[in-house]
Amino acid sequence: LDTRVFMAQTFGALVEDAAASVAPPPDAPLALVTAQEVKMLPPDNVTLRLVRLRGVVTFQDVEYHQLYLQDRTGGIFAFPADDMHGSYQGKEVELAGYTAPGGFAPVIRAKSIRVLGEKRPPKPALLDSASFSSGQFDSTLAVTRGVVRSLTTRGPRSFMTLATPAGRMRVVLRGAPPASLLDSDVVVRGVVSSEFNEDRQLTGVELRVPAPSFVKVLTPAPAGVSAPQVRSVRSLLQYSPDGIQI
């Protein structure tokens, strides 16, 4: 189960109940209007701050209720309301809601979203060895380069392992890229999703990629390299005239 989805299921209902029962006082602070303002909130003052910001949707996963939004100050993760089933990928939107602690950095629980139109996506940050595990690019559109070491497709998602100079990175991609990507040197553009433990400590990052078109091949796989044959576990270590099959 996706880490952010797990955190939503754990804390979402509690925050929703609190938001429904608490009316903002007359002297309540004004709504936060940038992603940076939300992410700069101190840990003890994150919950139930009003938010109204504009930005471009850099990644959306309808099935898992995930949405990443980026404005001129950076990226932010949002949990869409249950009735938000529209396609907002690549669109400029105005999102209204309130803040929540999140599992690593502050997030937004969206109550409404309004499409403003099409807008050019923000310039991606370079995810290099210095920033790979710093957490500074959480929820931000980024680009990295590496060699595809594994590739599997399950339902509407595909999963790649990318070998980069900074280490191995997991890539979650919407859609099914060609199997020929295996062992290719590629550039991948996607949103940085932080992985974390129950103590809110960063344990790694992965890239959320909207479509196969966000993966660009720099050098194809060497000639003669093909995907390994898939075999069931039960067929291993069985007798064969040529020796035990492993």
Side-chain angles (χ1 to χ4, degrees), residues 108-132:
I108 298 172
R109 294 194 66 84
K111 302 300 291 182
S112 67
I113 188 168
R114 180 168 65 96
V115 176
L116 302 177
E118 302 289 337
K119 189 173 183 179
R120 188 173 182 176
K123 182 179 179 180
L126 176 62
L127 194 62
D128 56 17
S129 57
S131 57
F132 185 81

Side-chain angles (χ1 to χ4, degrees), residues 141-156:
L141 188 66
V143 63
T144 193
R145 177 179 177 176
V147 177
V148 180
R149 291 307 188 196
S150 70
L151 173 61
T152 59
T153 298
R154 295 196 294 271

Side-chain angles (χ1 to χ4, degrees), residues 18-227:
S21 61
V22 176
D27 58 347
L30 297 176
L32 305 175
V33 296
T34 69
Q36 185 179 44
E37 286 181 326
V38 176
K39 298 180 84 170
M40 290 294 289
L41 290 173
D44 58 349
N45 188 28
V46 173
T47 305
L48 300 182
R49 291 288 302 273
L50 296 176
V51 177
R52 183 176 297 274
L53 59 86
R54 295 186 177 191
V56 177
V57 176
T58 51
F59 182 85
Q60 180 187 13
D61 192 320
V62 176
E63 290 84 1
Y64 282 79
H65 288 276
Q66 298 176 350
L67 189 146
Y68 291 82
L69 183 78
Q70 188 160 331
D71 64 11
R72 57 182 174 80
T73 68
I76 192 78
F77 177 85
F79 292 112
D82 291 339
D83 58 351
M84 293 182 186
H85 301 302
S87 177
Y88 307 112
Q89 179 68 48
K91 293 182 171 61
E92 183 182 24
V93 301
E94 182 180 71
L95 184 148
Y98 52 88
T99 59
F104 176 64
V107 300
I108 298 172
R109 294 194 66 84
K111 302 300 291 182
S112 67
I113 188 168
R114 180 168 65 96
V115 176
L116 302 177
E118 302 289 337
K119 189 173 183 179
R120 188 173 182 176
K123 182 179 179 180
L126 176 62
L127 194 62
D128 56 17
S129 57
S131 57
F132 185 81
S133 58
S134 68
Q136 69 181 101
F137 289 141
D138 176 71
S139 302
T140 299
L141 188 66
V143 63
T144 193
R145 177 179 177 176
V147 177
V148 180
R149 291 307 188 196
S150 70
L151 173 61
T152 59
T153 298
R154 295 196 294 271
R157 287 177 155 195
S158 294
F159 302 87
M160 293 194 305
T161 299
L162 203 64
T164 75
R168 291 188 174 247
M169 177 183 295
R170 185 173 186 247
V171 177
V172 181
L173 187 148
R174 297 282 300 170
S180 59
L181 278 183
L182 194 64
D183 291 318
S184 297
D185 183 11
V186 300
V187 170
V188 183
R189 181 162 49 97
V191 176
V192 178
S193 176
S194 297
E195 298 177 303
F196 44 85
N197 60 25
E198 60 184 9
D199 295 319
R200 304 175 63 87
Q201 296 170 320
L202 185 70
T203 59
V205 297
E206 64 181 26
L207 277 187
R208 304 292 174 91
V209 180
S213 60
F214 286 68
V215 181
K216 179 182 178 181
V217 176
L218 298 179
T219 306
V225 175
S226 58

Side-chain angles (χ1 to χ4, degrees), residues 1-10 64-66 77 79:
L1 186 64
D2 188 278
T3 305
R4 292 188 189 266
V5 175
F6 172 76
M7 298 303 295
Q9 293 174 342
T10 304
Y64 282 79
H65 288 276
Q66 298 176 350
F77 177 85
F79 292 112

